Amino acid sequence: MSNPPFPLLKILFLLTTLFVAVHGNEDGRNIDEKIAALLAKMTVEEKVGQMTQVTIQAVAKTEGTATQAFELDQKKLEEAISRYQVGSLLNVWNVAMTVDEWQDMIKTIHKTTRKKSRLKIPIIYGIDAIHGNNYTRDATIFPQSFGIAATWNLDLARIEGEITALEARASGIPWNFNPVLGLGRNPLWPRFWETFGEDPYVAGMFGAAYVEGMQGHDVSAADKVAGCMKHYIGYSLPLSGKDRTPAWIPERILRDMLLPPFQRAVDAGVKTVMINSGEVNGIPAHADEFLLKTLLREELGFEGFVVTDWEDIERLYTRDKVAGSYKEAVKMAINAGIDMSMVPFNFEFYTHLVELVNEGEVPMERIDDAVSRILRVKYELGLFDDPNPYKKVVEKFGSETSRQAALRAARESMTLLKNADRRLPLAKSSRVLVTGPTANLMSALNGGWTMSWQGNWEELYPKEKHTVLEAIQEKIGSKQVSYVDAAGFQDVKDLQAAVTAAQNVDAIILCLGEPAYCETPGNIGDLDLPAAQIELAQALQATGKPVILVLLEGRPRVIRPIVDQSDAILMAYLPGMEGGIAIADVLFGDYNPGGKLPFTYPRYSNDLTLYDHKFTDVLEGNSFHPQWEFGHGLSYTTYEYGDIIMDRAAITEEQEITIRIPITNTGDRSGRENVLLFIRDKVRSITPPVKQLKRFASLEIQPGESRTVEFTIDSAALSFVGRDNARILEAGEFEIIIGPKTATFSLVKSEDTSEQ
Ligand code: BGC
């Protein structure tokens, strides 16, 4: 490039070049070159700072009690930035803040970084926006993930990702610690509801759709954020069912069942990953080089960066006892492949790691690798150009269109488990008694990660949103609705009052379930629904009035004693802020439910056999007898499945088979039918499951209309992890199962199909 002619221009040019060199702006270099140039300027301390993440509480003046307003401690913030060069902050100070409060805080953080750090590397702020951007007031709040999975509608996961990203960016936040890609296979586990249910294919498909919506094609766009798949890997299968307790997972099972959802999210381009806070086979995941390097980077091909979970490096020493000191724990975790430590309260991690690098205990290449990965995501997010492009999106925050999307998701998640004598929908002229501990609580509709970590701070919830009771009152008029607060979650209050009130109504709407909880505080010792709630149900059932049970719960609590005497049962999951309206719509016929369970609903707390069990699970003497099967869900209309039509009877490894099935709505209401395709491998070298879900589709069908669903199955869908822990294919026969219909095809070696 020739020099500009005038001195003034020359100065401007030099200033711009300097600015660009420091900020890595639009200067023609690609991201690799920018990273290399920046890395070359960084001291060990600056590099380690990038790997350090602290919580906002670490730089706050206040403690975070109910009545305190958030106040940044500018001195602490400056210290974190100028002395420790922190690369990341996370979390909400206590409870959800307004967009303006977020913006004040985020702007101060970026301003301080620009002023007080030598290289002005922007901070990346991370948040748990688990079902919408739940730590900003008035955000759009979706059903929790297990409810999203019950819709079987991938568009909804994509839309949830899009809206969550936009509302997080509007709050100044470019990084979301979601989706959860563990599997809900142990219903005791208090994070069950954060999963997409028990099936790996479902979890992978929903996780990938959510990531695509959240990150888009260009994650630097003002309405996109970086995702964080979590918790890699094995966290969701604690033997005891308690949070953060040991898992035993043979490598074959790990690869066959737990890895595929993470692989799909990696293929969808997810930018970051958070590590399992617990241990697998006696090795804490944070210290497991095999998981962090071999499997994650070499095999899955993950190129983003790895963040720890809360305090989990220090815990290798204080809790897990695999390290004799905090410093040893730091060495272990960083050498195993951790890139960023969610410390989160102090700078001990930083001090230890700087020392370890200087002592040669952690190689500089490992540090450079970690820092490059972190810088790459910061560049990709456009943080160097504009760390907070909120002005471009803030107007769309909490829009009516977004609310409608959340309502649609809540409606589509509604799963009708029982409807004896077509008791539902109720006529709008009915007089009803509404009762039960979840009837009048916004927190019971939302669960954890709402307004506060535990989600159980009822006073914080927006007053204009509707509980189940309020939504019913609104729909049929308050005069037709009696409400009695007859029992809490664990305690009976006034059964007689409820029984008396029941005398004057046409139906009882009994809302049972769980209070809001999150992580370890949600541990339970017994899956049975607490006795007080069973007692309330039985007292009401004894009145002879129709009892409609509505379940608001984060995991399938055992309700066997009250199932038979309930006329109808609606599983509502944790449907979010619009959940009250969605429930009322279903109960009174304004919406025809189509949700289907993405997990097996157990009948007994000690019989937790899942849908994809083995044949030995159902030998004589054993049985598979859940309360409701995976995929169960009724409708107000009826569907008839035609015969399965296949375009060929056999495929080779390179071919795929097209499967069509006509479905007719034979009732008198339009409905959304979720169609599940299972495959049964008839014989294989590792005992086959009785069936496994391989495809699904969600479609609207009008009364009298017939629609044909088309699925393609390739050989990958028939593969499994064999005795040598490698994914293999075995020729043989496979049975397709769709609703009541079945068909058989074969997988053959290439040479056998030369005539096809
Ligand atoms: C949870 C993570 C969460 C992190 C940050 C941890 O306790 O296990 O899921 O992302 O906190 O809030």
Side-chain angles (χ1 to χ4, degrees), residues 69-131:
F70 172 71
E71 236 187 302
L72 257 186
D73 187 323
Q74 185 62 26
K75 239 180 95 198
K76 285 187 193 162
L77 180 65
E78 285 179 13
E79 188 181 39
I81 287 171
S82 62
R83 173 142 175 232
Y84 297 108
Q85 298 94 6
V86 288
S88 181
L89 287 164
L90 86 148
N91 212 5
V92 67
W93 162 86
N94 188 8
V95 297
M97 306 194 294
T98 62
V99 173
D100 289 344
E101 285 166 342
W102 271 111
Q103 280 300 334
D104 282 351
M105 183 177 102
I106 296 285
K107 282 178 190 162
T108 309
I109 291 169
H110 290 308
K111 197 166 143 197
T112 310
T113 310
R114 278 195 304 275
K115 278 196 176 159
K116 297 288 172 184
S117 77
R118 187 177 76 94
L119 294 171
K120 308 189 190 320
I121 302 173
I123 294 272
I124 180 169
Y125 202 103
I127 201 77
D128 294 281
I130 302 298
H131 62 137

Side-chain angles (χ1 to χ4, degrees), residues 359-414:
E359 290 158 8
E361 296 289 335
V362 174
M364 190 54 108
E365 304 83 72
R366 179 70 270 278
I367 298 292
D368 284 349
D369 174 46
V371 177
S372 303
R373 288 169 181 275
I374 294 165
L375 292 178
R376 178 175 305 280
V377 174
K378 290 187 174 185
Y379 276 116
E380 286 173 346
L381 276 166
L383 301 185
F384 284 87
D385 300 330
D386 181 359
N388 183 17
Y390 74 102
K391 282 192 184 140
K392 296 186 184 152
V393 291
V394 75
E395 260 180 27
K396 292 192 189 151
F397 177 92
S399 71
E400 176 57 18
T401 319
S402 300
R403 191 189 74 80
Q404 287 295 338
L407 174 58
R408 183 177 159 210
R411 282 180 174 146
E412 288 192 28
S413 73
M414 292 295 140

Side-chain angles (χ1 to χ4, degrees), residues 655-714:
Q655 293 173 324
E656 37 180 54
I657 184 166
T658 304
I659 294 155
R660 291 189 182 82
I661 183 158
I663 299 170
T664 310
N665 181 343
T666 49
D668 53 8
R669 294 194 54 142
S670 69
R672 181 167 273 276
E673 174 65 340
N674 294 313
V675 186
L676 278 49
L677 182 154
F678 298 91
I679 284 189
R680 170 178 297 166
D681 189 343
K682 293 216 173 151
V683 176
R684 67 179 215 192
S685 58
I686 298 286
T687 57
V690 295
K691 60 179 184 179
Q692 270 181 322
L693 187 86
K694 295 296 175 185
R695 298 288 182 265
F696 58 88
S698 181
L699 61 156
E700 283 283 335
I701 315 182
Q702 300 306 314
E705 188 191 8
S706 207
R707 290 187 64 183
T708 296
V709 186
E710 183 176 305
F711 298 107
T712 50
I713 294 284
D714 53 8

Side-chain angles (χ1 to χ4, degrees), residues 53 90-92 126-128 130 135 176-178 180 191 194 228 230-231 235 243-244 274-275 277 308-312 315 342 449 453 518-519:
Q53 183 189 52
L90 86 148
N91 212 5
V92 67
I127 201 77
D128 294 281
I130 302 298
Y135 277 151
N176 181 14
F177 305 133
N178 209 31
V180 169
R191 306 192 74 169
E194 292 182 58
C228 184
K230 68 187 189 185
H231 307 78
Y235 180 43
D243 190 34
R244 292 174 158 82
M274 188 185 294
I275 303 308
S277 199
T308 72
D309 202 340
W310 192 264
E311 215 177 279
D312 277 332
R315 284 177 181 158
M342 189 185 285
W449 301 122
W453 176 45
C518 198
E519 300 188 46

